Every structure is written in structure tokens, then in C-alpha cells.
Amino acid sequence: AKGLEWPLVFLPGWEETVFPSQRAIDESGDKGLEEERRLAYVGITRARQSARISFAANRQIYGRWQSVIPSRFVDELPAANVDVVSETG
């Protein structure tokens, strides 16, 4: 989808160890982290009007619920361009 743009882009799963993936960091270190950051940039810049980034507070991993934290990339987004919405179920 390189070079294509859409009015609205959904980017789910922005939790640490999911995005950036723990495997990319473990296997490639800073180089792997930068590649994941580049992928984040590409995803965000495909949106013409709005990008919706989401992350979970809890995730089921191997059948067990675990608390997770948002991706470090969320904190790197410019605050002026972010509207935070929190929904609890």
C-alpha cells in the first residue's frame, strides 16, 4: 500500500511487546526499534484526515490475562495532534 492514502486509517495493537514487537527489539536491538518506528510513521502518514491508534489495557496472552502498557510510540506523537479518548467496558 506504499504511496496510497485513505481518509481514515485504523492502527490497532499499539502496546509494548506487540508494537514495537519484543522479537524485533531482541533480535535487532536499536535497528529493529527504528524499523518498527518507521512502520509506525508509514501507517500514520497513510491517513489523509484521521488516524485512529488504539491499545488495550489488558491482553490475553497464552490463555492468561496480562496488564499491558501503551507503546512508546504513542508518547512520541505530537500532543497538539492527539485527541485522547478512553473507553472502559
Side-chain angles (χ1 to χ4, degrees):
K2 186 175 181 183
L4 298 177
E5 294 185 343
W6 296 273
L8 176 62
V9 173
F10 291 92
L11 301 166
W14 279 42
E15 297 114 30
E16 280 296 312
T17 72
V18 175
F19 188 68
S21 74
Q22 190 62 50
R23 182 176 178 182
I25 295 169
D26 290 346
E27 291 179 2
S28 302
D30 288 342
K31 186 176 178 181
L33 183 59
E34 286 306 311
E35 177 64 14
E36 298 275 287
R37 186 174 281 112
R38 185 189 71 76
L39 292 172
Y41 175 82
V42 169
I44 291 169
T45 57
R46 296 308 100 192
R48 264 190 236 137
Q49 297 168 345
S50 182
R52 305 284 171 96
I53 296 169
S54 63
F55 51 87
N58 298 294
R59 181 174 285 277
Q60 194 170 24
I61 302 171
Y62 301 114
R64 301 183 76 168
W65 286 99
Q66 296 182 4
S67 295
V68 293
I69 59 174
S71 169
R72 65 187 80 198
F73 300 152
V74 172
D75 290 334
E76 295 174 4
L77 298 170
N81 297 70
V82 175
D83 293 324
V84 177
V85 177
S86 178
E87 295 182 15
T88 57

